[in-house]
Amino acid sequence: MEALDYHAEERRKAEFNLDEMKIVWAGSRRNYELSDRVARLVASDPVFRKDNRTMLTRKDLFKDTLRKAAHAWKRIIDLRLSEEEANMLRSYVDQPAFTDLHWGMFIPAIKGQGTSEQHEKWLPMAYKMQIIGCYAQTELGHGSNVQGLETTATFDPQTDEFDLHSPTLTSSKWWPGGLGKVSTHAVVYARLITGGQDHGVHGFIVQLRGLDDHLPLPGITVGDIGMKFGSGAYNSMDNGLLRFDHVRIPRNQMLMRVSQVTREGKFVQSDVPRQLVYGTMVYVRQTIVSDASCALARAVCIATRYSAVRRQFGSQNGGPEIQVIDYKTQQSRLFPLLASAYAFRFVGEWLKWLYTDVTQRLQANDFSTLPEAHACTAGLKSMTTSVTADAIEECRKLCGGHGYLSNSGLPELFAVYIPTCTYEGDNVVLLLQVARFLMKTVSQLGSGKKPVGTTAYMGRAEHLMQCRCEVEMAQDWLKPSTILEAFEARAVRMSIACAKSLGKFSNPEDGFAELSPDLVEVAIAHCQLIVVSKFLEKLQQDIPGKGVKRQLEILCNVYALHLLHKHLGDFVATGCITPNQGALANEQLRLLYAQVRPNAIALVDAFNYTDHYLGSILGCYDGNVYQKLYQEAWKDPLNDTVVPDGYLEYLRPILKQHIRTARL
Ligand SMILES: CC/C=C\C/C=C\C/C=C\C/C=C\C/C=C\C/C=C\CC/C=C/C(=O)SCCNC(=O)CCNC(=O)[C@H](O)C(C)(C)COP(=O)(O)OP(=O)(O)OC[C@H]1O[C@@H](n2cnc3c(N)ncnc32)[C@H](O)[C@@H]1OP(=O)(O)O
Ligand SMILES: Cc1cc2nc3c(=O)[nH]c(=O)nc-3n(C[C@H](O)[C@H](O)[C@H](O)COP(=O)(O)OP(=O)(O)OC[C@H]3O[C@@H](n4cnc5c(N)ncnc54)[C@H](O)[C@@H]3O)c2cc1C
């Protein structure tokens, strides 16, 4: 018998080839096939079950995480999965774990900042997980200000060792994932001191726990920092604290690609810029942008499928009520998020390319594109995670009351996702880095230095400062060059206005601090331009499949025009468009929503998420929401007994007292 599909009618309405769209979303046919196979492998394995995890105590959740990580590792070995497949498997297991930090930061830190001898020594052990590592940078007193870290690594020429020490309470390492209970090793960031001189923050490989008994080594105090936001969620991770009491490590455990300390204790700064010490953060920020599209797509998939099932009001002659997805307000809240998921996917692909390119250049000692890579990763990490965090909450609201149920999947997704706005760089702090980069670019405009890459548009500042938008009718807003010019003109005009205001301050740093809220807005305008332009560039590619390109064009226009509508004040105040042109953009946006509507379910099907990964009754593929909600309610432990525990002690006495009072 064919399974019920409550979305069958919706799926029939789609105007494009779904299989081809799945390939576009995955990046290539090969990626699609790999990811589909691995997702199904995880979904069908009972060890990876996750529907009960919000009910677990912290200890049970943590043990469950260890069990899943061990099982995942066994599957990776048994099935001889490639590194790419193994990463996919971990992400489909979908439970934050120490392995994220081991593979995502510890190994990349050694690769990026270690010498070839250090690679040879440490990487084979790390790849086999004979050692497990974390990334211990943040301290109780300092996170954003990395130069303010207090842990010291003092070189002792007598013994050829570093002495690692936590001189104050605030120097305690605080937050590193995987540190609390699991890691045997860490890359620790500490101030390097030689001959009484402070050379700033560098990375050191430090063993924390015994490899036989897992006990902390002498001089090391280590533990978990405690429960975090929400139930389940990020509490599967052992974010830790760490203190050193004069712990000794050999000199060759300082990561020495950027700077070296010789046997005599001489500090040698190589030609490599010191910012490469921050390289692991740049790498992870880039991955976070792709992850943002996944998390956003997940929330949007749940809200879209549920909005097609849910009906409220408007029944005619006893017929069905209106599907809430047909309300224009629902569409205007949901479809820009759907478009953003696609937009972030494509900008994530591009950022990966940029990162690979800069890495290859760095290997050839070409550091010229490092500032741009830093600005793009910092800005896009900040923008995409802020939008995604807000969007998950919006999707919860789009699902009405049922969105607040844990089994909608949205509360846990939100709780897991929101720290992304803080870790790997607080989002405001990162936008200020972008603003610095932009102000520097503007200040060099007159010098003959031509801006390149994502700031190339500033080279056309003269034109962009005075160009006039030519839109006369709503449909004029569908022209890619019109959209692009409006976004470029807005970004350049806001940048130059801020640069002029900065010029009025005698001390530039005072000006930067005073104008920082405006500078954040400038950085956002620049980042939005990058996302819009990369979406438009994607559309220049050959995209096969009936109707696929057309749908992407619609989504690209939705993405750009909803931003224009949301930031209308910026566009009008800078004179890039008139208020009437803003109104025409909004008119066009409404027409676009009507074009998205019949394709909405298929557009979220294209994410190819299994029900296991989605973890949401509201978002289940077959749309059989009510029956599943009803069945699930009976599985709650509170329903194990008809009369709740505590009735005799606490409820009955009150009820009886009430009866007595009533009788009086
Ligand atoms: C239950 C499950 C259910 C559902 C699951 C669902 C979904 C899950 C979905 C998604 C999860 C998402 C992602 C997970 C993926 C991986 C992550 C896993 C875990 C995360 C763990 C987190 C780890 C961390 O947080 S590590 C610590 C990170 N710390 C920071 O980021 C600190 C931020 N601060 C800084 O970076 C710097 O201090 C600074 C702010 C940049 C300032 O530095 P500094 O003072 O030194 O620099 P200046 O401002 O003076 O600038 C000098 C100069 O340098 C340039 N510069 C600065 N940084 C860099 C750089 N990185 N690269 C290159 N250049 C740099 C700067 O621009 C200046 O240049 P100029 O001199 O030219 O102006
Ligand atoms: C779940 C989670 C996992 C983490 N994992 C790790 C890990 O594995 N390893 C690790 O080393 N660290 C980790 N961290 C730490 C994380 O990197 C830091 O918390 C983060 O970098 C922010 O730093 P902070 O906590 O010092 O925030 P703060 O800088 O204290 O921020 C507080 C407020 O001050 C504002 N602010 C700060 N500086 C400025 C400024 N210059 N201008 C304007 N406003 C400013 C911020 O915008 C924010 O609103 C993790 C954190 C979390 C929440």
Side-chain angles (χ1 to χ4, degrees):
M1 201 177 77
E2 211 176 297
L4 261 184
D5 180 0
Y6 287 79
H7 289 310
E9 184 48 36
E10 289 289 340
R11 294 192 163 110
R12 267 194 290 275
K13 284 186 206 163
E15 298 161 321
F16 66 93
N17 181 324
L18 176 61
D19 289 339
E20 291 292 345
M21 188 65 94
K22 284 183 177 174
I23 290 165
V24 172
W25 176 263
S28 66
R29 183 174 294 279
R30 179 182 162 278
N31 282 2
Y32 166 71
E33 284 166 0
L34 279 188
S35 127
D36 186 63
R37 192 168 63 82
V38 177
R40 286 172 201 282
L41 192 106
V42 173
S44 61
D45 190 328
V47 178
F48 296 135
R49 189 184 151 188
K50 56 180 188 164
D51 54 347
N52 55 350
R53 75 179 160 208
T54 52
M55 297 288 182
L56 301 178
T57 63
R58 173 90 202 278
K59 274 189 167 180
D60 287 343
L61 175 65
F62 185 66
K63 197 164 173 190
D64 176 67
T65 310
L66 295 184
R67 186 170 75 112
K68 283 179 177 153
H71 187 64
W73 184 238
K74 187 168 181 315
R75 298 301 280 154
I76 290 166
I77 302 286
D78 290 350
L79 300 171
R80 296 168 184 264
L81 298 188
S82 65
E83 196 177 331
E84 194 182 6
E85 289 166 316
N87 286 337
M88 285 177 181
L89 186 132
R90 276 189 293 273
S91 96
Y92 284 126
V93 169
D94 190 35
Q95 191 149 306
F98 62 92
T99 43
D100 300 351
L101 280 301
H102 176 74
W103 295 100
M105 294 202 81
F106 179 69
I107 290 177
I110 297 175
K111 274 166 110 175
Q113 292 153 54
T115 59
S116 41
E117 295 81 61
Q118 290 173 321
H119 292 171
E120 275 166 35
K121 173 166 181 193
W122 296 99
L123 291 178
M125 287 186 283
Y127 283 137
K128 288 185 223 141
M129 292 197 85
Q130 290 163 340
I131 60 172
I132 296 173
C134 65
Y135 185 87
Q137 182 176 295
T138 306
E139 297 175 354
L140 193 51
H142 290 96
S144 297
N145 181 7
V146 179
Q147 291 196 48
L149 296 180
E150 297 176 82
T151 305
T152 50
T154 308
F155 184 64
D156 179 352
Q158 305 284 323
T159 59
D160 198 24
E161 289 171 327
F162 289 104
D163 174 301
L164 269 280
H165 190 58
S166 311
T168 59
L169 175 66
T170 47
S171 71
S172 310
K173 292 293 173 190
W174 193 274
W175 272 118
L179 168 66
K181 292 288 153 190
V182 176
S183 295
T184 61
H185 288 67
V187 168
V188 172
Y189 287 83
R191 318 196 70 78
L192 168 65
I193 318 275
T194 63
Q197 213 188 332
D198 184 333
H199 303 284
V201 171
H202 291 77
F204 299 83
I205 302 176
V206 185
Q207 182 170 353
L208 306 173
R209 294 179 164 99
L211 292 177
D212 294 323
D213 55 11
H214 208 62
L215 292 174
L217 297 187
I220 285 177
T221 305
V222 64
D224 187 274
I225 59 170
M227 277 292 276
K228 289 149 294 202
F229 190 102
S231 54
Y234 215 80
N235 289 300
S236 54
M237 183 72 86
D238 54 329
N239 292 94
L241 64 88
L242 168 67
R243 285 181 67 80
F244 297 105
D245 183 8
H246 296 289
V247 171
R248 297 264 164 169
I249 57 165
R251 180 171 56 93
N252 66 9
Q253 286 181 211
M254 169 177 156
L255 292 172
M256 292 219 201
R257 175 162 182 225
V258 179
S259 320
Q260 300 88 42
V261 172
T262 64
R263 175 64 191 92
E264 297 72 37
K266 193 165 159 261
F267 174 75
V268 182
Q269 175 77 60
S270 64
D271 296 341
V272 177
R274 82 164 174 86
Q275 283 86 353
L276 271 202
V277 169
Y278 298 159
T280 313
M281 293 185 280
V282 174
Y283 162 71
V284 181
R285 285 172 195 153
Q286 168 259 139
T287 68
I288 287 176
V289 175
S290 294
D291 289 335
S293 73
C294 294
L296 177 53
R298 213 163 140 169
V300 164
C301 181
I302 295 168
T304 305
R305 287 188 179 156
Y306 179 66
S307 295
V309 168
R310 186 67 166 176
R311 291 172 183 270
Q312 295 279 351
F313 300 104
S315 163
Q316 305 272 328
N317 304 323
E321 293 171 280
I322 294 174
Q323 291 167 279
V324 298
I325 198 170
D326 284 325
Y327 288 111
K328 291 289 170 187
T329 47
Q330 191 85 351
Q331 294 178 5
S332 69
R333 293 158 68 202
L334 182 57
F335 294 166
L337 305 182
L338 173 61
S340 303
Y342 277 88
F344 294 174
R345 190 73 179 175
F346 301 141
V347 83
E349 264 176 17
W350 168 78
L351 198 59
K352 193 170 175 188
W353 168 84
L354 182 84
Y355 182 80
T356 310
D357 181 68
V358 77
T359 311
Q360 283 164 359
R361 286 170 189 268
L362 291 177
Q363 273 153 9
N365 281 353
D366 168 4
F367 309 113
S368 59
T369 55
L370 191 58
E372 153 123 320
H374 167 49
C376 289
T377 48
L380 291 171
K381 179 272 181 187
S382 173
M383 196 204 104
T384 58
T385 57
S386 292
V387 169
T388 300
D390 291 350
I392 297 170
E393 169 60 0
E394 186 64 12
C395 286
R396 180 191 70 75
K397 290 187 251 179
L398 283 161
C399 294
H402 300 337
Y404 190 63
L405 274 172
S406 183
N407 60 31
S408 76
L410 292 166
E412 197 185 10
L413 184 58
F414 182 70
V416 170
Y417 196 76
I418 48 173
T420 318
C421 299
T422 305
Y423 63 54
E424 288 310 338
D426 167 84
N427 278 355
V428 169
V429 170
L430 293 186
L431 287 175
L432 289 171
Q433 287 287 309
V434 180
R436 255 182 211 287
F437 173 71
L438 294 176
M439 291 305 104
K440 202 167 171 178
T441 309
V442 172
S443 71
Q444 291 168 346
L445 282 181
S447 70
K449 192 173 173 214
K450 222 172 145 217
V452 291
T454 50
T455 52
Y457 67 100
M458 290 198 176
R460 286 179 281 111
E462 218 170 299
H463 164 73
L464 292 171
M465 287 302 284
Q466 43 78 39
C467 64
R468 289 164 65 93
C469 174
E470 286 175 355
V471 166
E472 288 173 357
M473 293 182 298
Q475 71 190 48
D476 293 340
W477 273 118
L478 299 179
K479 221 170 136 191
S481 56
T482 303
I483 290 181
L484 192 60
E485 189 167 274
F487 275 81
E488 286 181 343
R490 167 206 183 208
V492 94
R493 289 179 196 198
M494 287 173 74
S495 289
I496 289 178
C498 248
K500 278 189 184 151
S501 305
L502 277 176
K504 293 181 193 147
F505 288 81
S506 50
N507 178 345
E509 283 308 312
D510 287 347
F512 199 86
E514 187 60 26
L515 298 178
S516 53
D518 297 345
L519 286 159
V520 163
E521 298 296 322
V522 170
I524 290 173
H526 173 72
C527 293
Q528 289 175 344
L529 164 62
I530 298 178
V531 182
V532 168
S533 66
K534 297 303 157 194
F535 206 150
L536 288 170
E537 274 174 27
K538 178 81 190 178
L539 295 174
Q540 302 302 310
Q541 293 175 8
D542 179 31
I543 301 175
K546 177 186 157 269
V548 173
K549 193 168 187 169
R550 175 82 198 109
Q551 286 308 310
L552 294 175
E553 281 165 356
I554 293 169
L555 290 175
C556 180
N557 289 330
V558 167
Y559 181 71
L561 296 185
H562 105 277
L563 284 181
L564 195 141
H565 180 61
K566 190 168 162 198
H567 297 274
L568 194 58
D570 284 356
F571 285 91
V572 173
T574 49
C576 297
I577 66 169
T578 64
N580 187 47
Q581 288 169 328
L584 290 172
N586 200 27
E587 190 183 320
Q588 183 55 58
L589 198 50
R590 281 200 306 276
L591 298 171
L592 289 166
Y593 292 153
Q595 293 173 31
V596 173
R597 169 63 188 94
N599 296 290
I601 293 294
L603 283 168
V604 300
D605 284 349
F607 305 146
N608 201 37
Y609 289 155
T610 59
D611 280 351
H612 170 272
Y613 182 64
L614 267 188
S616 167
I617 287 183
L618 305 189
C620 60
Y621 182 84
D622 67 11
N624 190 5
V625 169
Y626 295 130
Q627 195 174 9
K628 288 189 169 112
L629 280 176
Y630 193 80
Q631 284 167 349
E632 203 60 24
W634 293 110
K635 292 188 194 155
D636 192 280
L638 269 188
N639 287 328
D640 285 352
T641 56
V642 178
V643 175
D645 283 355
Y647 166 74
L648 286 178
E649 301 99 299
Y650 306 116
L651 261 183
R652 196 178 143 89
I654 296 174
L655 291 167
K656 286 292 174 197
Q657 178 198 315
H658 175 68
I659 290 164
R660 273 200 306 274
T661 320
R663 277 188 189 142
L664 278 176

